[in-house]
Amino acid sequence: MIFPIRSNARRILSTMAAARPSSTCSNYRRKSSASNLTNYAEVEQGTHVELLPSVKRHPVGRLEASNDSMELAHECSNCEGENVSKANNGPDLFGEMKERFLSFKKHKFLKESEHFQTLAQAQAPKFMVIACADSRVCPSNILGFQPGEAFMIRNVANLVPPFENGASETNAALEFAVNTLEVKNILVIGHSSCAGIETLMRMQDDGDSSSLTHSWVINAKVAKLRTKAVAPHISFDQQCRHCEKESINNSLLNLRTYPWIEDRAKKEMLSLHGGYYDFLRCTFEKWTLDINGTRPIEGGRYLDKDRELWC
């Protein structure tokens, strides 16, 4: 069925080209041999294919960045492009996203072009961040991480599986961050009202083996058992809040099961931190795992240090 689609796409694009004058951006061509930004944005004509009658786009011509960043920003701010039509009178989500992107480009990328040129060559983040996939708790938004500052992985309930569990997206990111990028800090961030932790707390035993979510959150089973042991009489919601923090500490302990993390941590080349964001009260609790200053205590726990509450 791909050939009729392509044929229709060509016919539609030909009709659009004949019916409309080209926009400023689609005809914009500028050459510069000395530009720091040359070849950052090259898009072949005919990239966008119109498959739905409610979606209209211009064919985009090849764009070569000007050596005058501010002039380019001014030129593109005057581009005449058509927004994606609203479906069923709903919000123009990609139109809003486009505006945010263009604002980033104008106020951040072009004003700090030298910094982004450096980042294009290599990255040297100081933090490896493991956070929850929850849409309400983006670390870059909450903690203000800028491009190049934090290498990040987000998963359900911000979990770190133990080394013996084998490969996962999380420990693959850890391996690259620690062994290749040589980050100095690993920060595990949990949060209030975590649906992943609530799912764990509601599960019976090991949960439903056919559920991908159950199979994942079971990595924090130790945190659940500890919560049930130390807080058996409090409400379910309070137990969930307790387990959210307990799970962060469990992930910090699991980090120590990775030989290359343990080795660097003992040599004080790498620090392991926990963080808890309460988005109901907008507070952030931060602490650091004390590795060399204390001995292991009952239950495989280690003491923390440098605990702070930001409010």
Side-chain angles (χ1 to χ4, degrees), residues 203-276:
M203 282 167 44
Q204 299 296 322
D205 299 323
D206 290 342
D208 179 3
S209 60
S210 66
S211 168
L212 296 177
T213 302
H214 286 197
S215 298
W216 173 252
V217 298
I218 201 64
N219 283 301
K221 182 179 179 179
V222 172
K224 174 183 178 178
L225 296 176
R226 285 175 175 164
T227 297
K228 294 287 189 181
V230 302
H233 303 302
I234 62 176
S235 70
F236 178 76
D237 286 345
Q238 290 174 319
Q239 287 183 337
C240 286
R241 301 295 83 74
H242 188 279
C243 190
E244 286 163 357
K245 294 184 180 181
E246 193 67 56
S247 176
I248 298 169
N249 286 322
N250 184 64
S251 286
L252 291 175
L253 292 175
N254 283 345
L255 285 171
R256 298 198 65 181
T257 66
Y258 294 82
W260 24 274
I261 291 179
E262 176 72 352
D263 180 62
R264 286 176 176 269
K266 283 187 173 181
K267 293 177 180 178
E268 299 184 350
M269 300 169 62
L270 178 65
S271 297
L272 310 180
H273 312 276
Y276 181 79

Side-chain angles (χ1 to χ4, degrees), residues 53-292:
S54 62
V55 180
K56 297 182 179 180
R57 298 186 178 97
H58 288 297
V60 181
R62 182 179 298 271
L63 176 65
E64 296 183 4
S66 165
N67 63 345
D68 186 339
S69 297
M70 295 311 296
E71 182 182 351
L72 177 59
H74 177 72
E75 292 275 356
C76 283
S77 67
N78 293 325
C79 288
E80 297 175 0
E82 297 224 5
N83 292 327
V84 178
S85 299
K86 297 182 180 180
N88 298 324
N89 296 321
D92 184 1
L93 298 180
F94 283 95
E96 295 172 5
M97 189 183 298
K98 172 187 173 182
E99 292 305 315
R100 289 195 295 266
F101 168 74
L102 293 178
S103 177
F104 160 78
K105 181 176 182 179
K106 179 179 180 180
H107 299 290
K108 191 76 174 176
F109 183 86
L110 294 176
K111 287 185 177 181
E112 301 177 19
S113 59
E114 185 175 347
H115 172 62
F116 282 96
Q117 280 285 315
T118 301
L119 287 180
Q121 302 304 315
Q123 59 173 326
K126 299 294 187 295
F127 283 90
M128 166 69 193
V129 174
I130 301 157
C132 186
D134 194 301
S135 63
R136 302 165 293 181
V137 293
C138 176
S140 295
N141 187 282
I142 297 164
L143 300 177
F145 287 119
Q146 299 301 305
E149 290 184 347
F151 193 79
M152 196 174 301
I153 184 77
R154 298 178 67 179
N155 62 46
V156 173
N158 44 272
L159 303 181
V160 178
F163 179 72
E164 58 266 24
N165 281 22
S168 71
E169 294 86 346
T170 299
N171 51 37
L174 279 167
E175 182 180 59
F176 184 76
V178 174
N179 292 339
T180 301
L181 299 179
E182 299 183 342
V183 297
K184 304 298 183 184
N185 302 276
I186 299 178
L187 174 61
V188 180
I189 304 174
H191 66 93
S192 59
S193 302
C194 180
I197 295 299
E198 181 179 344
T199 298
L200 172 70
M201 293 297 293
R202 291 188 185 278
M203 282 167 44
Q204 299 296 322
D205 299 323
D206 290 342
D208 179 3
S209 60
S210 66
S211 168
L212 296 177
T213 302
H214 286 197
S215 298
W216 173 252
V217 298
I218 201 64
N219 283 301
K221 182 179 179 179
V222 172
K224 174 183 178 178
L225 296 176
R226 285 175 175 164
T227 297
K228 294 287 189 181
V230 302
H233 303 302
I234 62 176
S235 70
F236 178 76
D237 286 345
Q238 290 174 319
Q239 287 183 337
C240 286
R241 301 295 83 74
H242 188 279
C243 190
E244 286 163 357
K245 294 184 180 181
E246 193 67 56
S247 176
I248 298 169
N249 286 322
N250 184 64
S251 286
L252 291 175
L253 292 175
N254 283 345
L255 285 171
R256 298 198 65 181
T257 66
Y258 294 82
W260 24 274
I261 291 179
E262 176 72 352
D263 180 62
R264 286 176 176 269
K266 283 187 173 181
K267 293 177 180 178
E268 299 184 350
M269 300 169 62
L270 178 65
S271 297
L272 310 180
H273 312 276
Y276 181 79
Y277 172 52
D278 185 336
F279 62 74
L280 295 175
R281 299 177 179 83
C282 196
T283 62
F284 192 90
E285 191 174 358
K286 169 264 174 189
W287 62 94
T288 300
L289 196 66
D290 192 343
I291 295 176
N292 294 321

